[in-house]
PDB file of all heavy atoms in Angstrom:
ATOM      1  N   ILE A 229      12.848   5.092  22.119  1.00  0.00           N
ATOM      2  CA  ILE A 229      11.846   4.591  21.056  1.00  0.00           C
ATOM      3  C   ILE A 229      10.788   3.907  21.896  1.00  0.00           C
ATOM      4  O   ILE A 229      11.121   2.973  22.712  1.00  0.00           O
ATOM      5  CB  ILE A 229      12.448   3.588  20.029  1.00  0.00           C
ATOM      6  CG1 ILE A 229      13.507   4.344  19.232  1.00  0.00           C
ATOM      7  CG2 ILE A 229      11.365   3.084  19.222  1.00  0.00           C
ATOM      8  CD1 ILE A 229      14.174   3.550  18.223  1.00  0.00           C
ATOM      9  N   THR A 230       9.557   4.359  21.744  1.00  0.00           N
ATOM     10  CA  THR A 230       8.414   3.715  22.539  1.00  0.00           C
ATOM     11  C   THR A 230       7.453   3.036  21.572  1.00  0.00           C
ATOM     12  O   THR A 230       6.990   3.729  20.668  1.00  0.00           O
ATOM     13  CB  THR A 230       7.747   4.752  23.329  1.00  0.00           C
ATOM     14  OG1 THR A 230       8.606   5.530  24.165  1.00  0.00           O
ATOM     15  CG2 THR A 230       6.657   4.145  24.300  1.00  0.00           C
ATOM     16  N   PRO A 231       7.049   1.834  21.816  1.00  0.00           N
ATOM     17  CA  PRO A 231       6.112   1.061  20.920  1.00  0.00           C
ATOM     18  C   PRO A 231       4.684   1.337  21.329  1.00  0.00           C
ATOM     19  O   PRO A 231       4.333   1.201  22.547  1.00  0.00           O
ATOM     20  CB  PRO A 231       6.490  -0.353  21.067  1.00  0.00           C
ATOM     21  CG  PRO A 231       7.034  -0.445  22.437  1.00  0.00           C
ATOM     22  CD  PRO A 231       7.692   0.887  22.799  1.00  0.00           C
ATOM     23  N   PHE A 232       3.825   1.495  20.400  1.00  0.00           N
ATOM     24  CA  PHE A 232       2.360   1.541  20.509  1.00  0.00           C
ATOM     25  C   PHE A 232       1.725   0.562  19.602  1.00  0.00           C
ATOM     26  O   PHE A 232       2.361   0.181  18.488  1.00  0.00           O
ATOM     27  CB  PHE A 232       1.864   2.901  20.278  1.00  0.00           C
ATOM     28  CG  PHE A 232       2.184   3.966  21.249  1.00  0.00           C
ATOM     29  CD1 PHE A 232       3.480   4.590  21.229  1.00  0.00           C
ATOM     30  CD2 PHE A 232       1.296   4.355  22.220  1.00  0.00           C
ATOM     31  CE1 PHE A 232       3.853   5.432  22.203  1.00  0.00           C
ATOM     32  CE2 PHE A 232       1.547   5.368  23.169  1.00  0.00           C
ATOM     33  CZ  PHE A 232       2.879   5.964  23.134  1.00  0.00           C
ATOM     34  N   LEU A 233       0.541   0.109  19.906  1.00  0.00           N
ATOM     35  CA  LEU A 233      -0.181  -0.831  19.056  1.00  0.00           C
ATOM     36  C   LEU A 233      -1.661  -0.303  18.899  1.00  0.00           C
ATOM     37  O   LEU A 233      -2.297   0.078  19.879  1.00  0.00           O
ATOM     38  CB  LEU A 233      -0.175  -2.293  19.700  1.00  0.00           C
ATOM     39  CG  LEU A 233      -1.046  -3.359  19.199  1.00  0.00           C
ATOM     40  CD1 LEU A 233      -0.588  -3.700  17.741  1.00  0.00           C
ATOM     41  CD2 LEU A 233      -1.128  -4.567  19.917  1.00  0.00           C
ATOM     42  N   HIS A 234      -2.107  -0.393  17.690  1.00  0.00           N
ATOM     43  CA  HIS A 234      -3.451  -0.174  17.449  1.00  0.00           C
ATOM     44  C   HIS A 234      -4.133  -1.442  16.790  1.00  0.00           C
ATOM     45  O   HIS A 234      -3.743  -1.825  15.773  1.00  0.00           O
ATOM     46  CB  HIS A 234      -3.731   0.992  16.480  1.00  0.00           C
ATOM     47  CG  HIS A 234      -5.076   1.461  16.288  1.00  0.00           C
ATOM     48  ND1 HIS A 234      -5.981   1.744  17.307  1.00  0.00           N
ATOM     49  CD2 HIS A 234      -6.041   1.504  15.140  1.00  0.00           C
ATOM     50  CE1 HIS A 234      -7.138   2.108  16.862  1.00  0.00           C
ATOM     51  NE2 HIS A 234      -7.149   1.864  15.611  1.00  0.00           N
ATOM     52  N   ASP A 235      -5.076  -2.105  17.626  1.00  0.00           N
ATOM     53  CA  ASP A 235      -5.730  -3.171  17.117  1.00  0.00           C
ATOM     54  C   ASP A 235      -7.148  -3.055  17.607  1.00  0.00           C
ATOM     55  O   ASP A 235      -7.650  -1.962  17.859  1.00  0.00           O
ATOM     56  CB  ASP A 235      -5.050  -4.523  17.704  1.00  0.00           C
ATOM     57  CG  ASP A 235      -4.977  -4.573  19.192  1.00  0.00           C
ATOM     58  OD1 ASP A 235      -5.678  -3.647  19.935  1.00  0.00           O
ATOM     59  OD2 ASP A 235      -4.364  -5.386  19.695  1.00  0.00           O
ATOM     60  N   ASP A 236      -7.831  -4.250  17.500  1.00  0.00           N
ATOM     61  CA  ASP A 236      -9.338  -4.100  17.865  1.00  0.00           C
ATOM     62  C   ASP A 236      -9.654  -3.699  19.242  1.00  0.00           C
ATOM     63  O   ASP A 236     -10.748  -3.273  19.576  1.00  0.00           O
ATOM     64  CB  ASP A 236      -9.989  -5.447  17.676  1.00  0.00           C
ATOM     65  CG  ASP A 236     -10.028  -5.851  16.112  1.00  0.00           C
ATOM     66  OD1 ASP A 236      -9.974  -4.932  15.286  1.00  0.00           O
ATOM     67  OD2 ASP A 236     -10.175  -7.036  15.872  1.00  0.00           O
ATOM     68  N   SER A 237      -8.595  -3.665  20.087  1.00  0.00           N
ATOM     69  CA  SER A 237      -8.800  -3.146  21.503  1.00  0.00           C
ATOM     70  C   SER A 237      -8.503  -1.669  21.720  1.00  0.00           C
ATOM     71  O   SER A 237      -8.625  -1.145  22.747  1.00  0.00           O
ATOM     72  CB  SER A 237      -7.816  -4.000  22.453  1.00  0.00           C
ATOM     73  OG  SER A 237      -8.174  -5.415  22.452  1.00  0.00           O
ATOM     74  N   GLY A 238      -8.049  -1.102  20.646  1.00  0.00           N
ATOM     75  CA  GLY A 238      -7.793   0.333  20.598  1.00  0.00           C
ATOM     76  C   GLY A 238      -6.241   0.606  20.456  1.00  0.00           C
ATOM     77  O   GLY A 238      -5.533  -0.206  20.040  1.00  0.00           O
ATOM     78  N   PHE A 239      -5.967   1.840  20.847  1.00  0.00           N
ATOM     79  CA  PHE A 239      -4.619   2.363  20.734  1.00  0.00           C
ATOM     80  C   PHE A 239      -3.947   2.443  22.117  1.00  0.00           C
ATOM     81  O   PHE A 239      -4.529   3.030  22.960  1.00  0.00           O
ATOM     82  CB  PHE A 239      -4.638   3.733  20.047  1.00  0.00           C
ATOM     83  CG  PHE A 239      -3.194   4.301  19.766  1.00  0.00           C
ATOM     84  CD1 PHE A 239      -2.427   3.806  18.677  1.00  0.00           C
ATOM     85  CD2 PHE A 239      -2.718   5.331  20.615  1.00  0.00           C
ATOM     86  CE1 PHE A 239      -1.242   4.338  18.471  1.00  0.00           C
ATOM     87  CE2 PHE A 239      -1.489   5.818  20.329  1.00  0.00           C
ATOM     88  CZ  PHE A 239      -0.722   5.433  19.300  1.00  0.00           C
ATOM     89  N   ARG A 240      -2.723   1.828  22.270  1.00  0.00           N
ATOM     90  CA  ARG A 240      -2.035   1.861  23.659  1.00  0.00           C
ATOM     91  C   ARG A 240      -0.565   1.723  23.444  1.00  0.00           C
ATOM     92  O   ARG A 240      -0.137   1.093  22.591  1.00  0.00           O
ATOM     93  CB  ARG A 240      -2.680   0.743  24.391  1.00  0.00           C
ATOM     94  CG  ARG A 240      -2.561  -0.659  23.948  1.00  0.00           C
ATOM     95  CD  ARG A 240      -3.304  -1.638  24.559  1.00  0.00           C
ATOM     96  NE  ARG A 240      -3.152  -2.953  24.044  1.00  0.00           N
ATOM     97  CZ  ARG A 240      -3.681  -3.539  22.929  1.00  0.00           C
ATOM     98  NH1 ARG A 240      -4.433  -2.750  22.126  1.00  0.00           N
ATOM     99  NH2 ARG A 240      -3.513  -4.747  22.609  1.00  0.00           N
ATOM    100  N   ASP A 241       0.020   2.181  24.567  1.00  0.00           N
ATOM    101  CA  ASP A 241       1.444   2.060  24.735  1.00  0.00           C
ATOM    102  C   ASP A 241       1.690   0.600  25.241  1.00  0.00           C
ATOM    103  O   ASP A 241       1.106   0.063  26.146  1.00  0.00           O
ATOM    104  CB  ASP A 241       1.920   2.992  25.918  1.00  0.00           C
ATOM    105  CG  ASP A 241       3.428   2.956  26.146  1.00  0.00           C
ATOM    106  OD1 ASP A 241       4.094   2.021  25.815  1.00  0.00           O
ATOM    107  OD2 ASP A 241       3.905   3.912  26.794  1.00  0.00           O
ATOM    108  N   ILE A 242       2.578  -0.049  24.498  1.00  0.00           N
ATOM    109  CA  ILE A 242       2.839  -1.518  24.856  1.00  0.00           C
ATOM    110  C   ILE A 242       4.308  -1.639  25.378  1.00  0.00           C
ATOM    111  O   ILE A 242       4.808  -2.773  25.381  1.00  0.00           O
ATOM    112  CB  ILE A 242       2.598  -2.465  23.647  1.00  0.00           C
ATOM    113  CG1 ILE A 242       3.438  -2.081  22.458  1.00  0.00           C
ATOM    114  CG2 ILE A 242       1.178  -2.488  23.290  1.00  0.00           C
ATOM    115  CD1 ILE A 242       3.387  -3.183  21.374  1.00  0.00           C
ATOM    116  N   SER A 243       4.980  -0.520  25.689  1.00  0.00           N
ATOM    117  CA  SER A 243       6.378  -0.699  26.179  1.00  0.00           C
ATOM    118  C   SER A 243       6.505  -1.575  27.360  1.00  0.00           C
ATOM    119  O   SER A 243       7.468  -2.232  27.598  1.00  0.00           O
ATOM    120  CB  SER A 243       6.919   0.620  26.505  1.00  0.00           C
ATOM    121  OG  SER A 243       6.165   1.380  27.509  1.00  0.00           O
ATOM    122  N   GLN A 244       5.503  -1.756  28.212  1.00  0.00           N
ATOM    123  CA  GLN A 244       5.514  -2.590  29.407  1.00  0.00           C
ATOM    124  C   GLN A 244       5.511  -4.072  29.007  1.00  0.00           C
ATOM    125  O   GLN A 244       5.880  -4.990  29.896  1.00  0.00           O
ATOM    126  CB  GLN A 244       4.242  -2.249  30.387  1.00  0.00           C
ATOM    127  CG  GLN A 244       4.271  -0.922  31.023  1.00  0.00           C
ATOM    128  CD  GLN A 244       5.613  -0.659  31.837  1.00  0.00           C
ATOM    129  OE1 GLN A 244       5.970  -1.543  32.606  1.00  0.00           O
ATOM    130  NE2 GLN A 244       6.231   0.430  31.538  1.00  0.00           N
ATOM    131  N   ASN A 245       5.204  -4.321  27.767  1.00  0.00           N
ATOM    132  CA  ASN A 245       5.353  -5.727  27.378  1.00  0.00           C
ATOM    133  C   ASN A 245       6.747  -6.236  27.185  1.00  0.00           C
ATOM    134  O   ASN A 245       7.017  -7.358  27.013  1.00  0.00           O
ATOM    135  CB  ASN A 245       4.707  -5.960  25.945  1.00  0.00           C
ATOM    136  CG  ASN A 245       3.085  -5.719  26.053  1.00  0.00           C
ATOM    137  OD1 ASN A 245       2.594  -5.535  27.119  1.00  0.00           O
ATOM    138  ND2 ASN A 245       2.476  -5.762  25.001  1.00  0.00           N
ATOM    139  N   TYR A 246       7.699  -5.191  27.048  1.00  0.00           N
ATOM    140  CA  TYR A 246       9.128  -5.510  26.777  1.00  0.00           C
ATOM    141  C   TYR A 246       9.944  -5.075  27.960  1.00  0.00           C
ATOM    142  O   TYR A 246      10.184  -3.876  28.113  1.00  0.00           O
ATOM    143  CB  TYR A 246       9.501  -4.829  25.477  1.00  0.00           C
ATOM    144  CG  TYR A 246       8.616  -5.042  24.295  1.00  0.00           C
ATOM    145  CD1 TYR A 246       7.722  -4.072  23.928  1.00  0.00           C
ATOM    146  CD2 TYR A 246       8.638  -6.346  23.652  1.00  0.00           C
ATOM    147  CE1 TYR A 246       6.821  -4.457  22.923  1.00  0.00           C
ATOM    148  CE2 TYR A 246       7.815  -6.691  22.634  1.00  0.00           C
ATOM    149  CZ  TYR A 246       6.973  -5.673  22.202  1.00  0.00           C
ATOM    150  OH  TYR A 246       6.109  -5.936  21.188  1.00  0.00           O
ATOM    151  N   LYS A 247      10.369  -6.042  28.760  1.00  0.00           N
ATOM    152  CA  LYS A 247      11.216  -5.807  30.002  1.00  0.00           C
ATOM    153  C   LYS A 247      12.638  -6.150  29.569  1.00  0.00           C
ATOM    154  O   LYS A 247      13.035  -7.330  29.455  1.00  0.00           O
ATOM    155  CB  LYS A 247      10.705  -6.624  31.111  1.00  0.00           C
ATOM    156  CG  LYS A 247       9.253  -6.477  31.466  1.00  0.00           C
ATOM    157  CD  LYS A 247       9.074  -5.105  32.221  1.00  0.00           C
ATOM    158  CE  LYS A 247       7.568  -5.118  32.785  1.00  0.00           C
ATOM    159  NZ  LYS A 247       7.428  -3.893  33.522  1.00  0.00           N
ATOM    160  N   PRO A 248      13.537  -5.145  29.429  1.00  0.00           N
ATOM    161  CA  PRO A 248      14.980  -5.420  29.065  1.00  0.00           C
ATOM    162  C   PRO A 248      15.598  -6.414  30.020  1.00  0.00           C
ATOM    163  O   PRO A 248      16.437  -7.175  29.474  1.00  0.00           O
ATOM    164  CB  PRO A 248      15.588  -4.081  29.205  1.00  0.00           C
ATOM    165  CG  PRO A 248      14.544  -3.085  28.971  1.00  0.00           C
ATOM    166  CD  PRO A 248      13.306  -3.782  29.578  1.00  0.00           C
ATOM    167  N   ASN A 249      15.305  -6.559  31.267  1.00  0.00           N
ATOM    168  CA  ASN A 249      15.818  -7.408  32.180  1.00  0.00           C
ATOM    169  C   ASN A 249      15.399  -8.884  32.014  1.00  0.00           C
ATOM    170  O   ASN A 249      15.989  -9.853  32.618  1.00  0.00           O
ATOM    171  CB  ASN A 249      15.700  -7.017  33.565  1.00  0.00           C
ATOM    172  CG  ASN A 249      14.206  -6.973  34.083  1.00  0.00           C
ATOM    173  OD1 ASN A 249      13.335  -6.588  33.222  1.00  0.00           O
ATOM    174  ND2 ASN A 249      13.983  -7.332  35.200  1.00  0.00           N
TER     175      ASN A 249
END
Side-chain angles (χ1 to χ4, degrees):
I229 297 175
T230 305
F232 289 77
L233 172 64
H234 186 54
D235 60 12
D236 291 340
S237 299
F239 184 76
R240 61 196 182 278
D241 181 340
I242 57 170
S243 57
Q244 293 303 310
N245 294 358
Y246 305 105
K247 303 284 188 180
N249 61 325

